[in-house]
Amino acid sequence: MIRVERVGPLATIQDLGRPGWFDSGVGIAGAADRASLRLANRLVGNSERAAAIEVLLGGLELLAERHLTVAVTGAAVPISVDGRSMGSASVLEVEEGQRLRLGIASTGLRSYVAVRGGIAVPAVLGSRSRDTLSGIGPDPVRAGDLLPVGPPPREYPIVDVAPVPPPYAGRLTVHVVPGPRDDWFHRATALFEGEWTVSSETDRIGARLDRRHGPSLDRRVSDELPTEGMVLGSIQVPPSGRPVVFLADHPITGGYPVIGVVVDAEVDLVAQARPGQAIRFRPR
């Protein structure tokens, strides 16, 4: 068991989500930064699909009620065990009675705390992921919670540390496949001009963007669009002209035109972008 002593702005249990339920109206959800979750699990010898703790901005404190093998990846947060500084993306041994603390992230938004054996809360529709839009899955982590840990896997960690850089703090460049409704705009290529800024309204559902500089996205077709399916990374443009990049907990359908879709491999970058950070789109 792990006792949760303190939680920052938000901490949720996440795995790689629940694919295959679209026809029932249930989205995939899962970790917002899938690569960081996978890495944390690999470091402790888990399956990449094992459940871990997704921590927004840091501020988490855990008390080990037995020996734990842990890895922390993703956003650049100060990490300590009983006050002793530890490295990110490394294998940490936390003994019974010791405390693992995450400070506040200096770059990036989301950290992942994987424990050897995985967080073994009950699965819902085949996943231990919390979907913040639908409310499916385990409740957000709160101080005082006791989190169960699953049995250790047969595999053992094969490296002590993964030399990966933290999320980039400067201007991001993200590639986009145009369409399927780019013809609904006077000049859809305006998306690729100038820069956008991540707004303070960003969450697990989507990264909402403001214009930093560049032309506006003006609709050529003002008709109502029938509701249609939405995929991860879709850039939907509501009447305000402020695009939304759909992230892990996005709705499965929508009625505003999608001007383009962020390539799958770069959605994790958007999920780690902080409010105020600049984003530049480039066509793929």
Side-chain angles (χ1 to χ4, degrees):
M1 284 284 189
I2 303 171
R3 182 177 295 279
V4 180
E5 297 284 290
R6 188 164 60 91
V7 175
L10 179 67
T12 57
I13 307 299
Q14 298 293 342
D15 54 20
L16 289 180
R18 49 181 66 84
W21 294 93
F22 268 37
D23 57 351
S24 300
V26 177
I28 295 175
D33 177 355
R34 299 156 296 173
S36 291
L37 173 75
R38 289 187 174 109
L39 175 61
N41 275 323
R42 290 200 302 272
L43 282 166
V44 297
N46 287 345
S47 157
E48 289 187 344
R49 296 195 59 84
I53 308 173
E54 181 181 277
V55 185
L56 178 67
L57 284 175
L60 182 74
E61 181 176 325
L62 304 175
L63 174 65
E65 297 207 331
R66 65 173 177 81
H67 170 264
L68 302 171
T69 300
V70 176
V72 182
T73 61
V77 293
I79 304 164
S80 66
V81 174
D82 272 6
R84 188 157 57 97
S85 294
M86 298 290 173
S88 178
S90 60
V91 180
L92 310 177
E93 304 296 342
V94 184
E95 302 301 331
E96 180 179 347
Q98 289 189 318
R99 294 172 189 275
L100 172 71
R101 295 186 179 91
L102 273 59
I104 301 302
S106 56
T107 62
L109 278 181
R110 297 175 171 94
S111 302
Y112 293 85
V113 180
V115 181
R116 182 169 170 77
I119 303 297
V121 296
V124 179
L125 300 178
S127 169
R128 296 182 169 91
S129 168
R130 173 67 176 184
D131 184 332
T132 60
L133 180 64
S134 68
I136 294 175
D139 289 337
V141 177
R142 294 184 174 86
D145 285 353
L146 283 173
L147 302 179
V149 178
R154 297 181 63 180
E155 294 76 13
Y156 287 90
I158 57 174
V159 297
D160 293 329
V161 61
V164 296
Y168 185 54
R171 182 184 63 199
L172 292 177
T173 297
V174 175
H175 292 88
V176 171
V177 178
R181 302 294 178 191
D182 52 331
D183 59 342
W184 278 49
F185 296 85
H186 283 294
R187 202 165 59 84
T189 54
L191 178 72
F192 304 114
E193 299 176 18
E195 293 179 355
W196 302 87
T197 302
V198 178
S199 86
S200 59
E201 301 169 41
T202 188
D203 55 21
R204 281 182 45 86
I205 298 169
R208 292 159 176 81
L209 307 179
D210 295 322
R211 238 328 172 188
R212 189 183 188 96
H213 58 78
S216 60
L217 293 175
D218 298 320
R219 289 267 295 269
R220 182 179 64 82
V221 179
S222 57
D223 297 348
E224 286 194 19
L225 182 68
T227 298
E228 58 187 8
M230 293 287 146
V231 299
L232 183 69
S234 293
I235 305 175
Q236 191 186 66
V237 184
S240 65
R242 299 168 61 206
V244 181
V245 181
F246 280 155
L247 301 177
D249 292 350
H250 68 86
I252 63 170
T253 60
Y256 298 131
V258 171
I259 195 170
V261 180
V262 175
V263 299
D264 187 75
E266 296 177 358
V267 173
D268 291 354
L269 301 178
V270 181
Q272 289 286 10
R274 298 167 70 110
Q277 193 165 355
I279 292 183
R280 180 174 59 183
F281 293 115
R282 288 291 178 266
R284 170 59 58 88

